[in-house]
Structures are given as C-alpha cells and as structure tokens.
Amino acid sequence: MTADTLLERITDYANRHNPYPLYAELREAGPVVRQADGSYLIGGYHHVAALLHDPRLSADPRSRPATAGGPYTEGGKPPFLRLDDPEHHRLRTLAMRPFGPPHSPGRVDALRGQIADITRELFESLQDREQIDLVDDFAYPLPVTVICRLLGVPREDEAQFQTWSDALVAAADVRAGADTTEQDRAGQEARLEMGRYLVDLAEQRRAQPRDDLLSAFINEPDPDARLTHEELAETAILLFIAGHETTVNLITNGVLTLLRLPDQLDRLRRDPDLLPSAVEELLRYEPPVHMRERYPLADIEVAGTTLPAGSTVVLGLASGNRDPRRFHEPDRFHPDRPDNQHLGFGSGVHLCYGAPLARIEAQTALRVLIPQLGTAALAQDPPPYRENAMLRGPRHLLLQLR
C-alpha cells in the first residue's frame, strides 16, 4: 500500500505539535506504507518491535547503496548506536565498562545525590521569576550538567557542546524528500571538532586521571578493552548527545502533558509514589524519540510486503506506542498503566543503555517541579517545537508563574 506524502507530512514542521493523527493514518494504511522515494514506513507496535529485534535490519547507514549519501559515505565509522553486531556489541560493551553493570554497577545510582542537588540548585535559581522557559532554564541545563560531569567536561566548555550537539542532531534527523547536504556537512564538521576536543581532554587525563568516564576510557588497563582514539571520540560524542537530548524532551514533554491534564497533575501531587510509573507512561504517551531509520541487509517480508535489501525503513516508535492493538486507550495518559512495554527507549540490541540515568533525571526533576505546577500556566499552547522530527520536543516552554 502506498501513501506517497505521508512521511513528508509526518516530518513537516506544521504537524510537529501533534503528529499523532498522522500516526493513526499510518497504522490504518499499513502495516507497511511505501513512499514515492522507495522508503517504507511501519507504524504498528508489533511489527516495529519485531523489526527492532531482527538482525537482518541494519542500523548502519553505510548498508545503503553508496549513492544514497549521508555523513558516513566518505569514510569514518559511525558511533556504535549506528553499527551492527559484532562490532556494535564490542563497542557497546567497552563503553559500558566504566558506565554501568557488571563492571561499574554503582556509577549511575551513585549520581542520585548529585542529580538531586543540581535539580534543587536550578529550581531555587528560578524562585523569584514571574516567567521561565522550562527548556533553557531547567530541562536543558540539568542533563547537560550531569553528562558533562560524568564525562569530565569543564563547565566553561558546555556552551560549545550545545553548538556541536545541535549540528549533529540535525544531521541525524529524518527529512523526507529534503536535500540534507548542508546538514550532513555541518554534522560531520561538528563531529570532527567535538571528537578532537574529547580526545585531547582524555589525553590530559592519562597522567592525571579523575573519577570520570574520559579518565576511565583513556586509562583502561586491559589492552583488549581499550578504545582507539577514533572509537573514544565517537563513544564520548554518543554519550553526550544521548545523555541529554532525550532527557530534555522527556522532562519538557512531561511538564507540558501534566499542565494540559490538571486532574493527572493533581493526582501525582497527592501521590508522588506514582512518579516512576508516570515517567514510563510519559515515555509511551509523549516519547522523546519518535522514529528510527533502518536498512535491510536482505529482502524481508512483512505482512505480505517485501522490504528490499538496501532500502530505507522508517520505524515509527511513537506510532507503535499509540497502537490500540497493543495498548488499551492509547491516546489517554494513565500514570499507573499496567504492562507498559513501550518503545520509548527502543528495543532489541540497540535498547538505550542510558535509560537508567534518564529515568533518574526525569523522576528527580518532576518530583521537584510537580508541587509547583499547580500555580503555573502555559504562556503559549502549543509551544514552538524543535525542527527535529525524530527527537520531538518543544524548543521553548514558557511558563507563567502565578
């Protein structure tokens, strides 16, 4: 079945504030919708989940024909998020050694106190304001401060990281029918500059290690577990971007959702123990990541349609999260929803391994914010959204504090 303009409409900025009717259209037209450019859209939960676990579907953009273009077609290895096993497994395992279990089981959990302190400091700095931008004043600086401390990036360099990050995220976006040459060029330039900075910073930690990830990477005692400079750069870049981009959207989408649903806001204010479950529901209801691109390594049949080898397949994570075949009343926010196996952090071998950190940050932020939101009002609804269709969230969220 074809719907030639559906992906263009989904990625059109005019629909950024509410793409969910288009996702419903995708599911009704599917399960597989072929576009005029030869790409394929898939929006049903069960098909998306199955393909995320299918080793025949590659995450590596170099799997496409060379004529397809993109930031990695002229050399250079993508971050492990965009690699396939066994190389993906090797690099992901090496990155996990200083970050989480089994080698460093307590690192993320030990950050709870620091995250609470950073959250409290940020909130207290806003107490005398009549209006705030939740994104710029709170939701962005919280995870950026955390991930920079985790990596070992000096505070004075955080602004430069935002410039690099914006270029990298723009290059990774899904843009139907658009010329992405300039975004790809800017993204590659940002990747090289950021990579050089991080490798140089890591080298400074070789002789004077600290309790941060760059020190752990550069001083790894096991020669078989050491990252090359190129691998260190790509891994650190990925950790920085993944460590804050999704969390910014998760916090901001969460506050926007609760201000639009005052009864649910009041419920969470009265019962803060619901917060962990509510964050999982936010990851389903308003996920920070809406879609992923994949590339078949061989012809794959899905519900009678063949996804040809070398084609582009767009997996609608957010569409799957609202699939009525999987979730009861999918367009309603239920903070205590049972059996909530959402796709908010993906699934399969590429399941977001920073998910525990994002959950802690979101729960801590909302625990501080929710008691204050009863006297707050949206200054603009819908708010202006970021250009990015894949990482969807407000660019600004102005709150009037009464």
Side-chain angles (χ1 to χ4, degrees), residues 165-176:
S165 178
D166 287 344
L168 288 168
V169 169
D173 195 15
V174 175
R175 294 175 179 269

Side-chain angles (χ1 to χ4, degrees), residues 16-61:
R16 191 77 77 254
H17 69 287
N18 184 19
Y20 294 103
L22 294 173
Y23 294 150
E25 186 177 330
L26 166 61
R27 292 190 301 271
E28 298 242 344
V32 179
V33 177
R34 187 178 187 275
Q35 301 296 281
D37 64 359
S39 64
Y40 294 81
L41 282 73
I42 299 175
Y45 177 92
H46 295 291
H47 291 102
V48 170
L51 287 168
L52 286 170
H53 287 261
D54 193 325
R56 297 173 297 172
L57 207 61
S58 172
D60 192 334

Side-chain angles (χ1 to χ4, degrees), residues 52-294:
L52 286 170
H53 287 261
D54 193 325
R56 297 173 297 172
L57 207 61
S58 172
D60 192 334
R62 298 171 302 174
S63 301
R64 299 177 296 175
T67 55
Y72 303 107
T73 54
E74 297 181 1
K77 182 189 294 184
F80 66 79
L81 179 69
R82 306 299 302 275
L83 293 175
D84 302 325
D85 287 342
E87 187 67 355
H88 161 264
H89 178 73
R90 182 183 75 86
L91 290 172
R92 179 181 172 115
T93 300
L94 298 186
M96 282 291 292
R97 287 172 68 92
F99 183 82
H103 299 282
S104 306
R107 183 181 289 272
V108 170
D109 200 54
L111 289 171
R112 288 181 183 272
Q114 288 189 52
I115 293 171
D117 290 342
I118 295 167
T119 303
R120 189 162 43 250
E121 290 170 10
L122 282 170
F123 181 76
E124 289 174 353
S125 71
L126 306 175
Q127 290 296 290
D128 297 329
R129 302 267 295 275
E130 293 184 359
Q131 180 175 281
I132 65 169
D133 180 352
L134 186 77
V135 176
D136 287 347
D137 296 330
F138 187 90
Y140 172 75
L142 170 58
V144 164
T145 300
V146 173
I147 196 62
C148 281
R149 290 188 185 180
L150 193 58
L151 283 169
V153 174
R155 182 168 297 184
E156 60 268 22
D157 292 339
E158 290 177 10
Q160 178 59 62
F161 270 70
Q162 177 60 26
T163 302
W164 287 328
S165 178
D166 287 344
L168 288 168
V169 169
D173 195 15
V174 175
R175 294 175 179 269
D179 181 1
T180 63
T181 303
E182 179 55 30
Q183 287 92 338
D184 290 341
R185 184 204 61 76
Q188 184 66 2
E189 183 177 319
R191 183 177 299 281
L192 291 172
E193 292 178 0
M194 191 174 179
R196 282 194 294 266
Y197 171 95
L198 288 165
V199 169
D200 288 346
L201 187 58
E203 283 294 344
Q204 295 173 31
R205 304 287 161 76
R206 189 186 292 277
Q208 296 179 312
R210 304 180 185 179
D211 185 22
D212 57 49
L213 294 183
L214 289 178
S215 296
F217 288 147
I218 203 69
N219 291 292
E220 169 59 53
D222 183 353
D224 293 330
R226 289 177 194 153
L227 298 167
T228 67
H229 276 181
E230 180 186 7
E231 292 168 347
L232 189 153
E234 289 296 342
T235 298
I237 289 170
L238 175 61
L239 289 173
F240 177 81
I241 294 175
H244 83 277
E245 286 287 350
T246 54
T247 307
V248 174
N249 287 349
L250 179 55
I251 294 171
T252 310
N253 287 338
V255 169
L256 178 59
T257 296
L258 292 175
L259 286 174
R260 287 172 169 173
L261 300 171
D263 56 331
Q264 299 295 348
L265 172 61
D266 185 61
R267 183 180 179 190
L268 290 173
R269 188 184 298 112
R270 289 183 283 104
D271 188 2
D273 289 341
L274 275 176
L275 260 179
S277 174
V279 167
E280 297 308 306
E281 176 68 342
L282 287 169
L283 284 160
R284 183 201 68 84
Y285 183 79
E286 282 282 17
V289 181
H290 271 228
M291 59 192 81
R292 288 293 190 199
E293 282 188 335
R294 293 290 187 264

